[in-house]
Structures are given as structure tokens and as C-alpha cells.
């Protein structure tokens, strides 16, 4: 098994734990840890840290750091569809179900969305209920609301990376 590394980023919403190998990121999740310093991290984790920092500063709208998904084929299709949702825009769970080729799979999309381990860079926070309400976010609805407002505010500024 390939060695896994961790790096912690203190966002305005709390600490994000970045986990990956020397090649790619596979998890970015909010954690309740503070002041953790890792001695050795590969460049891919440092790049992810920098891209998250740029995102929170309003300097980045798309992520280019390599990552990989751990999940079922259906979950992976959902997560790929999430990456097609443009910055500062929202779509419904139904829209994602249609994008995955199964318009009846709205609940399954919601479940897959909740299992997304790549917070922020695979933007599950941009998925809302068909009636326009904020529903479900593993990091808490207050974080989802903050992220959406952050993107709206930054989108109004000058063009970014």
C-alpha cells in the first residue's frame, strides 16, 4: 500500500485535513484538530494546500491538483458530474441525476454527494434541493451557505485564475 500523507489547512470555516499519496489527493475533510504540523509532505499536498488558500482568498475558481475517487462506479459518476458545476452556481440533485444518466436516482445522488471526500475541490456544496433550499452538507449547512456566499462575492470581483 502506498504511503499516505496528511497536511492541515486552517480555513475560515475550520481546519481541513488534506490526505493523499505522493501522486494525488483522495480526501479533504473538515476536522476538529488544531495546530498539527507535518514534517514531510509530497509536493501534491503542498499544491493542494496552496490552491485551497487561493480559493479562500478569492484568487482561484478551479482546481488543478491531481486527485482520485474511492467509491462505487455510480458514486464516481456523481462526483465527476459535480466537477462540471460552475463556480458560484448551483444545480439540484435532480440535475446531477440527469447528468449521470438516471433521472430517477435523486436519492442515490444525495447519498453519493454526502460521501464525497474531496470537499471544496469536488464542489458538493453547489448542489441544492429542487425547490432552491440548502439541503445536506457533511460539513454542516452553515459551511455550505458560507461557501456559496463566498463564491458569489468573489465572482463579482475581477477575473481570477
Amino acid at each position: 500500500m502506498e504511503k499516505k500523507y496528511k497536511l492541515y489547512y486552517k480555513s475560515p470555516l475550520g481546519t481541513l485535513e488534506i490526505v493523499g499519496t505522493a501522486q494525488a489527493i483522495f480526501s479533504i475533510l473538515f476536522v476538529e484538530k488544531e495546530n498539527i504540523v507535518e514534517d514531510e509532505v509530497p509536493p501534491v499536498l503542498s499544491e493542494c494546500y496552496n490552491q485551497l488558500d487561493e480559493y479562500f482568498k478569492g484568487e482561484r475558481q478551479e482546481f488543478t491538483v491531481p486527485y482520485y475517487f474511492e467509491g462505487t462506479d455510480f458514486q464516481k459518476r456523481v462526483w465527476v458530474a459535480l466537477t462540471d458545476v460552475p463556480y458560484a452556481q448551483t444545480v439540484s440533485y435532480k440535475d446531477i441525476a440527469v447528468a449521470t444518466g438516471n433521472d430517477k436516482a435523486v436519492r442515490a445522488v444525495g447519498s453519493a454527494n454526502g460521501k464525497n471526500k474531496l470537499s471544496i475541490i469536488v464542489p458538493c456544496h453547489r448542489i441544492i434541493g429542487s425547490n432552491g433550499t440548502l439541503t445536506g452538507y457533511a460539513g454542516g449547512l452553515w459551511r455550505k451557505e458560507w461557501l456559496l456566499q463566498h463564491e458569489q462575492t468573489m465572482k463579482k470581483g475581477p477575473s481570477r485564475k
Side-chain angles (χ1 to χ4, degrees):
M1 179 178 239
E2 213 172 339
K3 182 171 181 182
K4 293 181 181 177
Y5 300 88
K6 292 181 182 178
L7 184 61
Y8 295 87
Y9 175 77
K10 286 193 174 191
S11 83
L13 300 173
T15 303
L16 285 164
E17 180 182 66
I18 305 165
V19 181
T21 65
Q23 284 73 45
I25 304 301
F26 69 87
S27 176
I28 302 170
L29 297 172
F30 288 100
V31 294
E32 299 301 321
K33 298 178 181 178
E34 298 291 330
N35 301 322
I36 297 167
V37 178
E38 295 290 326
D39 293 334
E40 172 194 355
V41 294
V44 69
L45 269 77
S46 297
E47 180 59 24
C48 183
Y49 181 101
N50 292 336
Q51 288 188 21
L52 285 168
D53 194 50
E54 291 168 353
Y55 169 84
F56 281 106
K57 289 177 178 175
E59 299 168 354
R60 175 174 293 275
Q61 296 182 1
E62 294 180 21
F63 293 90
T64 58
V65 67
Y67 58 85
Y68 61 92
F69 298 123
E70 294 181 321
T72 67
D73 288 343
F74 177 77
Q75 288 170 332
K76 290 175 185 178
R77 283 196 311 275
V78 169
W79 299 331
V80 167
L82 296 178
T83 64
D84 291 333
V85 180
Y87 183 86
Q89 294 185 29
T90 57
V91 300
S92 71
Y93 292 96
K94 171 93 174 176
D95 294 329
I96 297 297
V98 170
T100 63
N102 186 347
D103 63 340
K104 304 262 190 269
V106 176
R107 285 190 150 171
V109 164
S111 176
N113 205 45
K115 292 179 177 146
N116 171 29
K117 290 184 179 181
L118 291 161
S119 296
I120 317 296
I121 67 172
V122 175
C124 55
H125 62 276
R126 295 181 190 150
I127 313 309
I128 60 174
S130 56
N131 62 359
T133 60
L134 298 187
T135 59
Y137 187 65
L141 282 181
W142 68 274
R143 284 188 175 118
K144 183 174 192 165
E145 183 176 17
W146 190 98
L147 290 165
L148 292 172
Q149 288 178 349
H150 171 71
E151 291 182 4
Q152 286 296 321
T153 300
M154 294 301 130
K155 183 84 173 170
K156 293 174 184 165
S159 73
R160 309 290 184 189
K161 289 180 189 172

